[in-house]
Amino acid sequence: MTKLPSNLAANDPKVMRHLRRPWDALISERGLFVPKTFEDHKTHFLKAPDIKINKNTFYLSDAGREALSQMLNVLCALSDIQKAHTRQEVYECLLKEYEAMWNRGFETNLLDEINEFFPRLLSALKARVRRRRFYARVTGVRLEGLDRLVIGRVVLRSCNDELKASLRISGSKEDNEYFDTAVAPFIEKNFENGLCLEGEYEADAKKSEELFDSDCRMAISLLRLILCSWAPEKIHLIKAPLRLWADAPSNRRTMLSVDTTTGQITLHWKSNVDTKGPLLNSENLEILRRDWFWDDLCKILALDDRNELEDIIVTGIKWIGDAQDDSDIASAFVKYWTLLEGAFSGNTGKADAKDEISLSERLARMPTEFNSIAIGL
């Protein structure tokens, strides 16, 4: 099968041509396998998906699995599906509709052609799409005099009573009871008196969650980059706890020490709660916009389709954000190195194995005083 061009629309004629051959294999006799022995059951149970046709179990044959994989590759290359669905979601929906097609065929003695099945599949996928709004608590940053701050596709905002009130559904008594007994205590425990990131997506549930998590991490990386820009000569010393609340360590780090001479026991603890962190207010925001391309960077993060230069910038933000959060100086050095290499080479992390080996070889030849060099960043 020839390679399908990326970002095709579902109504492009090329799509149907690429789907027809694997579909014909799936609806042929060689697409399904009927186990006849215990060994057949055991072997195919471990490696092949099964479907129920008129309450009987059938497994996809080797040819059927290959055809299913080819169809999945084509479907996941379509721009509309890429944006709204995970590969796993497409796989589950494809298998469910394939099973339904066979059961319809059992009753009517007719099987769908690809031009009949494909619209059914798209309709089933579309039914899984919802608009969802997500919230995630963040630590290590403060807002002053600002209600919200847009960072790419997410918004940094306070977790206040206004937010809680906006989440309450003015519906039935059961809805209000659920909010009071479950939602409100959850917010009070995990969100209240802090900051959160808010994002809204129109996709299936898992894809929406993935998009939100990715956008949150990119927003945090941008904040780490800005923090480093305020003190570039001390980047290696900056360790602000800018991260998602879910990724933060426990609220307290505890240790116990014993003086082996006197036997004196000392208790140590240090808070991990984000009482401090970079302060974002109107004055600082104006400096960011004037001197550090804040609006441009946020605009690039919000783009669905980026050009090569924008991809390089986003990849660089990711690497510097990861490096700034890394407590291991050698590991952080490699990430800063990768950032610079990507900026000059145009590598956005999609390099092949040969490029990765080349980078590993260069790192292996670095001097043993590696940590000393890293400290000088």
Side-chain angles (χ1 to χ4, degrees):
M1 176 180 289
T2 57
K3 186 177 180 181
L4 186 72
S6 60
N7 295 323
L8 279 180
N11 59 358
D12 193 300
K14 297 188 186 73
V15 176
M16 204 65 73
R17 290 201 300 269
H18 279 77
L19 288 174
R20 182 165 285 108
R21 181 179 295 178
W23 178 251
D24 288 344
L26 278 172
I27 62 175
S28 69
E29 292 181 358
R30 60 191 181 91
L32 292 176
F33 172 81
V34 181
K36 297 176 181 176
T37 66
F38 176 77
E39 285 300 318
D40 287 341
H41 275 285
K42 185 172 69 172
T43 301
H44 283 78
F45 174 78
L46 293 174
K47 68 177 184 178
D50 65 89
I51 62 173
K52 299 284 187 182
I53 304 176
N54 193 31
K55 300 181 181 179
N56 295 311
T57 299
F58 293 81
Y59 293 96
L60 264 69
S61 64
D62 292 341
R65 290 199 312 276
E66 176 62 25
L68 187 73
S69 178
Q70 290 177 3
M71 285 195 68
L72 195 58
N73 290 338
V74 173
L75 293 168
C76 292
L78 303 183
S79 56
D80 291 343
I81 289 180
Q82 283 180 355
K83 293 174 182 177
H85 303 277
T86 62
R87 186 179 178 89
Q88 181 63 28
E89 184 86 8
V90 178
Y91 169 77
E92 291 173 0
C93 192
L94 174 58
L95 204 60
K96 183 177 180 180
E97 290 303 310
Y98 177 64
E99 180 181 71
M101 184 275 302
W102 273 107
N103 281 290
R104 286 195 305 271
F106 184 81
E107 295 176 359
T108 64
N109 207 30
L110 292 171
L111 296 178
D112 290 354
E113 295 294 336
I114 186 59
N115 60 332
E116 298 171 307
F117 178 80
F118 188 45
R120 292 181 191 272
L121 177 62
L122 292 179
S123 179
L125 285 169
K126 186 177 180 180
R128 299 183 180 217
V129 173
R130 297 283 189 278
R131 180 164 288 278
R132 297 173 174 87
R133 189 182 301 120
F134 291 82
Y135 299 89
R137 176 79 179 271
V138 291
T139 71
V141 62
R142 295 172 290 161
L143 283 180
E144 181 182 79
L146 298 173
D147 292 330
R148 55 179 55 215
L149 181 63
V150 177
I151 311 175
R153 283 189 291 237
V154 294
V155 178
L156 181 66
R157 58 168 298 169
S158 298
C159 304
N160 51 25
D161 291 337
E162 179 186 350
L163 172 60
K164 190 192 298 185
S166 70
L167 297 175
R168 181 184 287 276
I169 302 174
S170 54
S172 64
K173 179 181 178 182
E174 290 77 13
D175 289 335
N176 288 325
E177 287 179 354
Y178 172 71
F179 188 92
D180 293 333
T181 59
V183 178
F186 180 86
I187 294 173
E188 291 171 5
K189 179 180 179 180
N190 298 288
F191 286 86
E192 208 158 49
N193 301 320
L195 296 179
C196 69
L197 289 168
E198 173 188 282
E200 190 168 307
Y201 305 88
E202 190 166 1
D204 70 47
K206 188 63 178 177
K207 183 68 174 184
S208 297
E209 188 177 336
E210 287 184 2
L211 290 170
F212 179 59
D213 185 73
S214 175
D215 288 343
C216 285
R217 295 182 189 283
M218 286 306 306
I220 290 170
S221 289
L222 179 56
L223 290 173
R224 290 172 182 161
L225 168 62
I226 294 304
L227 182 60
C228 291
S229 72
W230 285 343
E233 72 284 356
K234 296 182 179 179
I235 287 178
H236 62 290
L237 299 177
I238 298 173
K239 293 300 173 190
L242 269 162
R243 55 177 64 93
L244 291 174
W245 180 264
D247 294 339
S250 60
N251 290 342
R252 182 174 294 179
R253 287 173 284 176
T254 57
M255 289 188 300
L256 182 150
S257 65
V258 180
D259 187 319
T260 57
T261 303
T262 64
Q264 178 67 41
I265 298 175
T266 305
L267 306 179
H268 309 260
W269 60 87
K270 185 175 181 179
S271 175
N272 283 326
V273 179
D274 55 322
T275 54
K276 297 292 181 181
L279 177 66
L280 296 174
N281 54 30
S282 298
E283 181 181 350
N284 289 339
L285 191 58
E286 183 58 35
I287 294 173
L288 293 178
R289 286 173 169 155
R290 186 186 68 227
D291 299 338
W292 298 103
F293 311 101
W294 173 261
D295 289 336
D296 293 323
L297 293 173
C298 288
K299 180 181 177 182
I300 290 172
L301 290 186
L303 294 174
D304 289 324
D305 300 308
R306 305 186 183 102
N307 59 35
E308 184 179 4
L309 177 59
E310 291 162 346
D311 270 337
I312 292 171
I313 292 171
V314 170
T315 302
I317 292 172
K318 174 189 178 300
W319 280 116
I320 200 168
D322 288 351
Q324 197 280 325
D325 190 47
D326 201 324
S327 59
D328 185 289
I329 195 68
S331 177
F333 178 82
V334 172
K335 291 172 182 176
Y336 285 124
W337 173 299
T338 307
L339 159 69
L340 294 173
E341 183 179 54
F344 286 104
S345 69
N347 185 351
T348 58
K350 300 174 183 177
D352 56 27
K354 181 179 179 182
D355 294 327
E356 294 174 3
I357 292 171
S358 175
L359 176 59
S360 299
E361 289 174 347
R362 288 200 298 277
L363 291 175
R365 291 197 294 268
M366 293 178 66
T368 54
E369 303 87 285
F370 175 48
N371 285 353
S372 304
I373 297 173
I375 291 173
L377 283 173

